[in-house]
Amino acid sequence: AASDENTALRLELGRGAADRGQGIGNLGDPLLPESGALALPDELEAEERRMKDALQAQASKFPGLNGGNASLWCNAQVTHTTALYRSFLHRLEDYRGAFPEGAKVEFVSEAQDAEAGWSQQEELLREADAEFQDAEKVHTKGWEEKRLELVATRDAKVKQLCDQAEKAASSAEQQLLLHQAKLFGKRVDAQVERAWAEQRGERDERWRAHQQRKNEARQRLKDEAMSVQQKVEDRASVSGRFLDLAGSRLAGVEDAWLRNSDRDALISSGALRGSDLSALLSAAAPASGSDEDEPERPLPALPAKGAQHTGVGRIVDCLEEVIHRRRGARCRLRGELESQSRQQLRSCVEQFIQREAAQQRAAKATEDEVAPEYAQASAILSLLRMRQHRHLGDVLRRQFFDYLVVLRACALASLWLLPEAATRALDVCGDVAGASCAGSRGGAGLRDLPPLLHGPLGSAGAACGVANGKTVEVAIGGADAADGSDSPGDGAVEGAFLFNNLCAGLLERVLAMLRAQQREELLAVKRAYAAEQRAAMEQFCQLEEEWVTRVVQQDVREYELQLSISLLADQEAHIAEQRKRLADSVGDEVALRVAAYRGKIDEEAQVIVRERRKWLTDRLVLMQANGSVGPADRALLQRLRQELRACEAKIELHNNEFLKELGS
């Protein structure tokens, strides 16, 4: 079962066992774990689930690939990428045995982790703000009810006094009542103003208390982080102190690399959601190439619209250039990350040795100075390997994003290559083949992908109308299809068939190219990891010869494995071509010998036929000379004459063919 899984994985990676032969199976796949362990610790199992959830969330949020067959294509790639990540988790588990005591296994960088802690605290503070606003609404509602009550009391009393004034018997009494109404209104208005001032003061006080609680929470989080860091530093050993110092330096470099990677890989949601293929390809292609010395190659021009037969190759070339540029940008950023990491490690080693020497000299001032011994190789390797694993997870996530971009681009390219009549039919149709067309979703650019077939990714098959061994039935709304008339439903069916055919062919070619490039990138990254570890050991750990020898052997072994597999694959491909040529030459030789044998058979047959004709002629002459006229003799005579005519026809036919061969 394990060998079947390995074979399936190699097929999905584009370099299957059919292309490599049994020799590569003996060497093993460089992307598979060396230990062959099947189970992972709970911590690594949780990390694998986290990666799978992150990929599924990324696919669900990607514009234009939601629901229908597109989800099946995305889920298939999620399974494939998760299997690859699991193999590298096995590799990390093999490395963990050599980690020093106190080394942290962090699948998220320190900068991201700290940002997550602050984000969680800010989320709690935002919830507290929402609760404060809700409480303020309650207070405001109570104040408004009190104000309305005072105003209602004022209006009722003033109205009562005004009514009494109208009914007053004398003018003096009327003036007195009106004056009382005026004074009462002013007194109530003053009460309203005082209540409003009190309510505003209480609100300001509550706001100040709320802000003070927020500031205290932020300061408490900061103090706790500093306290934990101080306790860790107090308890840390020499190796632990170096891990903390170098880890903080490398975390800053990694955070800068992550920001640059996000910036280079960013594609605007408008380009992804829209139906403009040219805008999507331009937005997806970074500006820089894989090498600073390599001149930037322009994107190939798109084919003309409607070129369904001649434009597929140019679309594949465009997508290949886009993937090449995105891969090159990742390679360039990885090189910058490695260079800056080495610079920070060099600074950390020097600073740490000086600091430790100063502390030891202060603690033992009366003793003779002795050069301290430090074992930093395991600490440096643990930091590099954890950072490399995080980088690898980021590469797999960005490769998955490239896969989603390719799916979206293939859907748009299929619509680009469709004839104009088929595109119009798709624009006005309803639901065709279970997919929502542009009329109901705002454009043909949101059309679903063709069905995902069984087998490795990209083997969509030559017939796009066949899924899982059965013909896909396209339902047409209405009764127009019954009479076979040329209706909009018929045009929609034809357009859907053409779209599925073009998209399946594009996916088959583009995904094969994508898998090959992504596999090459992963192999190059793995080689670069081994080379980076070797360079770090040789630069900073010359006193620890055992570790230097170990990483050099690891680098050589990785190079030997990849080179052996590559050369063996090339040789077996060459042998396969030679075998094919030899088979063709054997077929030609067999054809020549069969033709010669057939001519020999014809010559022997002619000799037999001529002898038979001679015997038949003599027999007929003898029977005619004897004058046999009985019924049995007449039947035999007729039979012999028919056989004689057949023999003469064969002889004549053979002579005519021989003359033609001589003439040619």
Side-chain angles (χ1 to χ4, degrees), residues 3 50 108-109 178 246-247 252 268 287 323 401 416 476 515 592 620:
S3 61
R50 188 190 68 83
V108 180
S109 64
L178 291 176
S268 65
I323 297 302
F401 183 78
W416 180 280
I476 309 172
R515 286 193 305 276
L592 291 175
L620 287 173

Side-chain angles (χ1 to χ4, degrees), residues 117-127 214 218:
W118 280 101
S119 299
Q120 184 179 5
Q121 181 63 33
E122 291 299 326
E123 182 66 25
L124 295 177
L125 294 180
R126 282 192 292 270
E127 293 178 359
K214 289 175 61 176
R218 291 192 179 98

Side-chain angles (χ1 to χ4, degrees), residues 130-201:
E131 294 176 358
F132 176 80
Q133 295 297 334
D134 294 338
E136 283 301 309
K137 290 180 181 178
V138 174
H139 288 296
T140 303
K141 183 178 180 181
W143 147 250
E144 188 65 20
E145 291 176 354
K146 183 178 179 181
R147 186 187 67 82
L148 292 176
E149 182 180 358
L150 290 174
V151 171
T153 302
R154 180 198 64 186
D155 294 342
K157 187 65 176 177
V158 170
K159 185 176 183 301
Q160 180 183 0
L161 292 175
C162 290
D163 293 341
Q164 291 178 1
E166 290 179 357
K167 298 177 182 180
S170 62
S171 175
E173 184 180 0
Q174 182 180 13
Q175 291 294 330
L176 179 62
L177 291 173
L178 291 176
H179 184 66
Q180 290 179 353
K182 183 177 180 182
L183 291 177
F184 184 80
K186 289 182 178 180
R187 186 168 62 252
V188 173
D189 290 340
Q191 292 179 1
V192 172
E193 289 292 335
R194 286 195 301 272
W196 166 247
E198 293 175 358
Q199 192 272 344
R200 184 171 54 189

Side-chain angles (χ1 to χ4, degrees), residues 405-417:
V405 171
V406 165
L407 291 185
R408 181 64 178 147
C410 286
L412 294 180
S414 301
L415 294 170
W416 180 280
L417 297 176

Side-chain angles (χ1 to χ4, degrees), residues 65-75 434-435 441 448-451:
L65 296 178
N66 301 324
N69 296 323
S71 297
L72 300 179
W73 286 90
C74 295
N75 291 335
R441 295 185 61 181
D448 198 6
L449 296 174

